[in-house]
């Protein structure tokens, strides 16, 4: 997903409540929803991965500013992981161990700073309470069994994220499915939230959105019809809207501008 400003929508709050429940009950949760509606953004935000991802991946020299990241990881106690398309179960095991160890070291650093160090690092990922696996469709039967085994051995909570239908696909694996505590559908933006998001988009383009204005109301309807509340499509559409307005030296977002922007996109909501 391209870089986007994060908006804490109602769906994000529902996801956070779902993740809290999975983590608290040490169970397995399944989150499903169409592409581009914000599942990955919400999961990364929950794990504070938007702050920690570069540090965890690069693992380079540190400075005092990193203590804020350690504190964020200590609050979340969560690992966010996306398997590559051709990643083998052995690689998934190794990468999860690797990332979990780094997150635990960061949490240890935070605990040491606040005087609550719990002793030497004795176990890989000892501070990790929740694993979030994005793009779960990429997991084969062996990889799922590996995750189920880790869930059993380490008493760690697990969330599997994917497209609609994964909840039925996972039901083929009885050992895993019998441990699923929650299934959560991530839904597109409702009209009220879409208006809220569009207000910010209008503002970013130097405009003021007034839903009571006929031109703005037509424009809102056009965006709603084209994107169906899909975050990724809204982002792509407004990139083109900005380009169309700049090329044509326009100062008002109208439904004609939106249709012109849409005509440059290849849109296919799955």
């Amino acid at each position: 997903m391209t870089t986007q400003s994060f908006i804490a929508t109602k769906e994000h709050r529902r996801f956070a409540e779902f993740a809290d429940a999975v983590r608290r009950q040490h169970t397995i949760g399944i989150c499903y929803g169409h592409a581009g509606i914000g599942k990955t953004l919400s999961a990364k935000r929950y794990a504070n991965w938007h702050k920690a991802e570069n540090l965890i991946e690069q693992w380079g020299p540190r400075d005092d500013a990193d203590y804020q990241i350690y504190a964020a990881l200590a609050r979340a106690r969560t690992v966010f992981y996306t398997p590559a398309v051709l990643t083998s179960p052995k690689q998934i095991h190794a990468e999860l161990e690797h990332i979990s160890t780094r997150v635990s070291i960061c949490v240890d650093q935070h605990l040491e700073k606040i005087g609550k160090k719990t002793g030497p690092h004795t176990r890989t990922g000892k501070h990790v309470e929740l694993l979030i696996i994005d793009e779960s469709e990429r997991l084969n039967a062996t990889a799922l069994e590996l995750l189920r085994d880790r869930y059993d051995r380490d008493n760690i909570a697990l969330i599997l994220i994917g497209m609609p239908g994964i909840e039925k696909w996972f039901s083929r694996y009885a050992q895993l499915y019998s441990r699923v505590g929650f299934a959560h559908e991530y839904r597109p933006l409702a009209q009220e939230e879409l208006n809220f998001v569009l207000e910010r988009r209008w503002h970013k383009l130097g405009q003021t959105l007034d839903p009571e204005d006929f031109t703005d109301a037509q424009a809102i309807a056009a965006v709603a019809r084209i994107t169906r509340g899909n975050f990724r499509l809204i982002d792509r559409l407004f990139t083109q809207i900005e380009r169309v307005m700049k090329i044509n030296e326009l100062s008002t977002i109208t439904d004609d501008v939106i249709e012109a922007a849409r005509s440059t996109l290849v849109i296919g909501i799955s």
Side-chain angles (χ1 to χ4, degrees), residues 29-173:
I30 296 174
C31 174
Y32 60 94
H34 290 290
I37 60 175
K39 303 184 299 295
T40 300
L41 280 177
S42 277
K44 283 190 170 185
R45 183 63 57 145
Y46 181 85
N48 283 326
W49 221 243
H50 61 295
K51 298 177 181 176
E53 187 170 13
N54 287 340
L55 184 146
I56 295 296
E57 287 185 357
Q58 296 171 10
W59 209 242
R62 306 303 170 84
D63 57 46
D64 289 344
D66 291 335
Y67 279 102
Q68 294 182 14
I69 299 175
Y70 303 158
L73 289 171
R75 288 194 300 274
R77 306 286 176 118
T78 299
V79 163
F80 177 88
Y81 175 72
T82 306
V85 174
L86 299 177
T87 306
S88 68
K90 185 177 181 181
Q91 286 175 297
I92 291 173
H93 174 74
E95 289 174 1
L96 280 175
E97 293 288 295
H98 191 62
I99 297 170
S100 297
T101 298
R102 288 184 172 183
V103 168
S104 274
I105 290 172
C106 290
V107 175
D108 263 338
Q109 293 285 317
H110 170 71
L111 295 175
E112 186 174 1
K113 183 176 175 60
I114 64 173
K116 294 184 178 178
K117 181 74 181 290
T118 56
H121 193 81
T122 56
R123 182 170 64 83
T124 300
K126 69 173 182 177
H127 292 304
V128 175
E129 298 176 358
L130 172 64
L131 295 179
I132 299 179
I133 311 295
D134 199 16
E135 308 282 1
S136 294
E137 300 88 349
R138 297 174 180 175
L139 301 173
N140 60 22
T142 306
L144 290 172
E145 180 59 15
L146 182 152
L147 291 171
R148 197 273 302 171
D149 182 67
R150 178 157 187 188
Y151 165 80
D152 284 350
R153 290 176 186 274
D154 296 343
N155 193 30
I156 193 169
L158 174 66
I159 290 178
L160 301 167
I161 297 177
M163 296 287 285
I166 61 165
E167 73 281 13
K168 296 176 183 173
W169 179 56
F170 288 148
S171 68
R172 301 176 186 173
Y173 306 99

Side-chain angles (χ1 to χ4, degrees), residues 214-244:
F214 180 72
T215 300
D216 286 357
Q218 280 191 314
I220 292 172
V223 174
R225 174 173 47 79
I226 293 167
T227 66
R228 302 181 192 177
N230 184 296
F231 255 122
R232 189 177 297 159
L233 276 182
I234 292 170
D235 193 56
R236 291 171 57 200
L237 184 64
F238 271 80
T239 299
Q240 294 303 318
I241 289 172
E242 185 174 8
R243 188 180 71 84
V244 168

